[in-house]
Amino acid sequence: MTRVYNLTSSCGNLKNRFHAKMLGFSKPATGFLRQPEPRSIGRFQRGIQLKAGNIMFAGHLIEAPATNLWDIRAPDIGFVHEAHGFGWIDDLAAVGDREARLIVQAWVQSWIERYGRGQGPGWVAGITGRRLMRWIHHGFMILRGLEPAQSEPFFQSLGRQTVFLSRRWEAAPLGLPRFEALAGLIYAGLTLQGMEEYIRPATSALARECRMQIDENGAIPTRNPEELLEVFTLLTWVVEALREADWIPSQAHVDALDRIAPTLRHLRHGDGSLARFHGGGKGVEGRLDEALAKSGNKRLSANRLAMGFGRLSEGRTTVVMDVSPPPSGRESLNAHASTLALELTSGRSPIVVNTGSGSRFGADWTREGRMGPAHSTLTIEGTSIARLGRPMAHAISKTESLIDGPSHVPFEFSESKRAHQIEAGHDGFVSATGLTHVRNIRLSFDGTTLEGEDLLIAVAPHDKKQFDAVFEKNNLHGLAYNIRFHLHPDITPTVDMGGLAVSMSPLSGEMWVFRHTSQAELSIHMSTYFDSTRLKPRKTHQIVLSHRAIEYATRISWSLKKMVVTDVVSDENLDAIAGII
């Protein structure tokens, strides 16, 4: 997940630089007390690319074979943060050969020479915590083959960064950056000789942050599922490190893990990925299941609503829908206009998706991915349920906050003999059009059929007056709307039955059929899928239902039905499907 620390003020930067440059007077670490096994898992293919000089950070690909990382001119602040956070060591460690080790050693030593005394942009608490954990995780790789005189600067730098964190962790923005800062400080205290004094105050501070930032239902204010996973992973690492060193984690720390785990399960699709909402991606492959397994917590969410998301799960099918207002204020810098958007996964095959976060691919893609049309929901042309405001004061990046989003999002879960059902609505269109959007979805108990209805309703008398005014302004042509179902790039859609249905074939060999019973026009358009593991956004398709609202109440019914569950789709099966639809 791309992280840009948006809330560091110029005053905060000056304090960071002051404390960083004063570190020459601090005592260094003298060696490892113990070294935990690397818990951060890298990607082998990215490590191979780094070895070849293909450096991709924050969506920028720079081809620089045989070039020191710190000689490369960074294209933006996201690239800088990713470089100075040293998460890329995980990828080179996943390769693990001599060439990868020599690159790691050269880039670490060069960083110490250039920035180790407090210079440069890497002296931010959250980034420092992330860097410290990677250096400790991969200490054996970094030190292998070095003489004691060569190792001394490494331990001296570790000590300086630890002292810096002890003074500046509170300057880290709330959320993931602060958890990274405290996790790094605790790791250093547990593993470095001479740094033991920082363990107790850091664990006490982490306990306070767990109580303050993770609510009683295991949610965080940004409503970003991937960020919640990152926080959960950090807390799990710290618990393991504490127990290995014969320290007892605080009860607040353990309780936070117990609250988060059921929420993450609620947000987990059948393929092990996370629902992609509010700036979060699907997560590094395998990380969610690994973190849940290591936590030892096997509870499911007792609530029908977790972190503002509703979930339906039957058979091999999971559906996750955003049924709450988007985050606001400081927490909205990565928020999306996704209220009532849904994602559907069958087994290990994503079917209906949102485009996801474009933050790795530049400012334009970032903005496009945050707006309503990038999500599998209904939009009205000429208006939006939320809009992007100005960048927050003192923001390092140009990321805008999300403003004017829905304020009222009623939600109801129910079940019948045939299906589980979610019904929700939002008032995001009311001020501009007088219309409330209501979405009702029902998943059959065998998971083979998702039935849905989207309604646009003018509820109150003043809403009807607003609708009439807009209707007249549009020369009685009505309000144009689109209902989008973005498809995963692995899906091949085909329009059938004269435009009444769309058949979709995931790689699993299943067949899903989309149908609708309304006056809307069905069409297939190109779409975009943001995948953080790729160099460029991926092309994909979207199903679009288009029409105009000309009355106080408009209803659009649709369904997604799994027709074939065998591994191979035969001609007879295709004929049977055609007969059914």
Side-chain angles (χ1 to χ4, degrees), residues 520-537:
E521 178 184 350
L522 185 152
S523 57
I524 302 291
H525 295 269
M526 294 305 298
S527 181
T528 303
Y529 182 85
F530 297 120
D531 185 340
S532 62
T533 66
R534 300 296 185 99
L535 298 179
K536 297 179 180 180

Side-chain angles (χ1 to χ4, degrees), residues 29 31-33 136 155 158-159 162 187-196:
F32 281 121
L33 284 167
I136 292 170
F155 285 109
L158 284 173
T162 303
Y187 251 70
L190 293 172
T191 59
L192 300 176
Q193 294 176 1
M195 300 293 116
E196 300 92 333

Side-chain angles (χ1 to χ4, degrees), residues 31-50:
F32 281 121
L33 284 167
R34 62 185 61 81
Q35 187 181 342
E37 288 294 319
R39 293 183 170 89
S40 45
I41 302 172
R43 286 175 279 190
F44 178 83
Q45 290 300 327
R46 285 196 68 179
I48 293 295
Q49 291 298 319
L50 283 169

Side-chain angles (χ1 to χ4, degrees), residues 291-483:
L292 288 171
K294 285 186 175 181
S295 74
N297 184 302
K298 298 182 180 180
R299 291 191 298 116
L300 299 175
S301 176
N303 301 315
R304 299 299 185 182
L305 193 66
M307 207 162 78
F309 297 95
R311 171 189 170 93
L312 299 175
S313 179
E314 298 294 344
R316 290 165 49 84
T317 303
T318 56
V319 181
V320 178
M321 190 163 97
D322 186 350
V323 289
S324 290
S328 60
R330 292 184 173 183
E331 282 72 37
S332 73
L333 291 172
N334 290 310
H336 288 205
S338 60
T339 307
L340 302 195
L342 62 81
E343 291 193 324
L344 181 148
T345 296
S346 175
R348 299 195 62 80
S349 298
I351 308 295
V352 178
V353 297
N354 297 307
T355 63
S357 172
S359 59
R360 294 188 68 88
F361 306 103
D364 290 341
W365 285 119
T366 299
R367 294 186 185 97
E368 183 168 324
R370 298 179 69 187
M371 292 291 91
H375 300 85
S376 293
T377 187
L378 180 147
T379 58
I380 297 178
E381 292 184 11
T383 187
S384 176
I385 65 168
R387 61 187 181 89
L388 299 179
R390 296 179 180 179
M392 303 269 312
H394 307 306
I396 290 179
S397 76
K398 299 299 183 181
T399 306
E400 301 96 338
S401 58
L402 193 72
I403 60 175
D404 298 338
S407 58
H408 183 54
V409 185
F411 162 83
E412 183 176 316
F413 177 91
S414 61
E415 55 185 288
S416 66
K417 294 181 180 180
R418 293 182 54 251
H420 285 153
Q421 176 173 302
I422 289 176
E423 186 171 12
H426 74 74
D427 60 355
F429 299 130
V430 170
S431 61
T433 69
L435 295 174
T436 294
H437 177 205
V438 176
R439 170 163 276 187
N440 187 326
I441 59 173
R442 298 172 296 280
L443 182 63
S444 62
F445 278 156
D446 60 3
T448 62
T449 304
L450 179 71
E451 297 177 323
E453 288 182 337
D454 284 288
L455 299 94
L456 290 171
I457 308 171
V459 180
H462 57 81
D463 296 338
K464 294 177 180 179
K465 289 183 180 179
Q466 175 66 13
F467 176 81
D468 290 339
V470 176
F471 189 72
E472 292 179 6
K473 184 178 180 181
N474 290 342
N475 298 317
L476 308 182
H477 290 158
L479 281 69
Y481 64 82
N482 297 289
I483 305 174

Side-chain angles (χ1 to χ4, degrees), residues 39 183 186-187 190 203 206 210 232-250 252-255 257 294-295:
R39 293 183 170 89
I186 293 170
Y187 251 70
L190 293 172
T203 53
L206 184 61
C210 286
F232 183 77
T233 300
L234 283 174
L235 293 178
T236 302
W237 288 352
V238 173
V239 162
E240 291 178 330
L242 286 167
R243 288 173 174 163
E244 287 173 0
D246 296 325
W247 279 75
I248 299 175
S250 71
H253 185 163
V254 175
D255 288 346
L257 288 173
K294 285 186 175 181
S295 74

